[in-house]
Amino acid sequence: MILFTPGVKNLFLSIKINNYNLLKMETLEQIKVLTELLSVDTTKFFGGNKSAGTRARKSAQELKALLQQLRGEILEHNKTEKNA
């Protein structure tokens, strides 16, 4: 199954595989890239580019969702380690 991350077209392409830890690290990599995009657009916005502000707000919303997802993955990993 091929998964695309919404909002960042064709930038994140991940293939769901048996190694779940790899998918968790992909979430962190997505956060890093999205943070960089947010930084660029925010700088452009404060430089006077109003459309960059829209992109920055959208990136911030996507980043919020990814951070929440990562938080859940960390909690799940802690639970599975304790049960093992």
Side-chain angles (χ1 to χ4, degrees), residues 20-66:
Y20 192 63
N21 286 333
L22 180 60
L23 291 175
K24 291 177 185 179
M25 290 305 295
E26 285 182 11
T27 302
L28 182 58
E29 290 304 314
Q30 289 177 0
I31 289 170
K32 289 177 183 179
V33 171
L34 197 53
T35 301
E36 185 61 33
L37 292 172
L38 176 62
S39 176
V40 169
D41 284 334
T42 302
T43 302
K44 287 180 181 179
F45 171 73
F46 286 113
N49 184 339
K50 291 185 180 185
S51 62
T54 301
R55 290 192 305 272
R57 288 194 317 273
K58 185 176 180 183
S59 293
Q61 194 68 23
E62 292 172 4
L63 187 56
K64 178 182 175 184
L66 280 173

Side-chain angles (χ1 to χ4, degrees), residues 68-79:
Q68 198 63 25
Q69 177 182 338
L70 181 63
R71 183 179 182 275
E73 291 171 357
I74 291 170
L75 288 171
E76 181 182 326
H77 182 75
N78 283 341
K79 288 179 185 178

